[in-house]
Amino acid sequence: MSDCVFCKIIKGEIPSIKVYENDDIIVFKDINPAAPIHVLVVPKVHIECLEALNQDNIDVVTKIHAAILETTKILGINTDGYRVIVNCGKNGGQTVPHLHYHILGGAEFGEKII
Ligand code: AMP
Ligand code: ZN
């Protein structure tokens, strides 16, 4: 997707502050953090949202979750805990149409989701 901001970050055409990367996944700091620690876990393949997952690409979910575990260790939030959020579509408030998982940490968020 040539006009996708996250594809541009993956290709290095837009700068980002990388926290973790492997062949399939990139993790970088959110440009507008909603918590003391706020990073985005992004598959390198362009998948629009959770609803675009199918039998052919759903293996990426395992890779995303493995990258989350690497990232929370790197950021030192694996023991205190964190929140993972995936927004999907209009009602989910998704603004970038490339599947991504938010990791929020560094604070105690309480029981309410929003
Ligand atoms: P969502 O609303 O779930 O689609 O989240 C998109 C997130 O991407 C927001 O939290 C934005 O702050 C973040 N974002 C947008 N552009 C960039 C960028 N160039 N670098 C880092 N984060 C970005
Ligand atoms: Zn993309």
Side-chain angles (χ1 to χ4, degrees):
M1 284 288 285
S2 55
D3 60 345
C4 169
V5 60
F6 288 174
C7 283
K8 286 182 178 167
I9 287 175
I10 290 159
K11 285 188 270 183
E13 294 172 4
I14 292 178
S16 68
I17 301 172
K18 279 181 220 167
V19 174
Y20 174 76
E21 183 172 15
N22 63 29
D23 286 349
D24 305 299
I25 305 291
I26 186 169
V27 182
F28 52 87
K29 291 191 179 180
D30 195 294
I31 203 167
N32 185 22
I37 293 172
H38 185 175
V39 299
L40 303 173
V41 182
V42 182
K44 290 186 177 179
V45 60
H46 182 88
I47 298 169
E48 200 164 311
C49 63
L50 276 182
E51 288 293 318
L53 289 169
N54 57 51
Q55 286 303 321
D56 293 331
N57 62 18
I58 201 154
D59 286 356
V60 80
V61 172
T62 304
K63 292 169 180 169
I64 291 169
H65 280 248
I68 289 171
L69 296 178
E70 293 295 333
T71 300
T72 57
K73 276 201 275 292
I74 290 165
L75 296 174
I77 58 174
N78 53 321
T79 51
D80 280 348
Y82 50 88
R83 179 167 288 166
V84 173
I85 295 175
V86 185
N87 298 323
C88 184
K90 179 173 69 72
N91 280 7
Q94 184 177 7
T95 58
V96 177
H98 181 132
L99 179 64
H100 54 282
Y101 284 40
H102 299 251
I103 305 177
L104 302 160
E108 214 170 309
F109 300 122
E111 294 175 11
K112 289 192 176 174
I113 295 171
I114 55 173

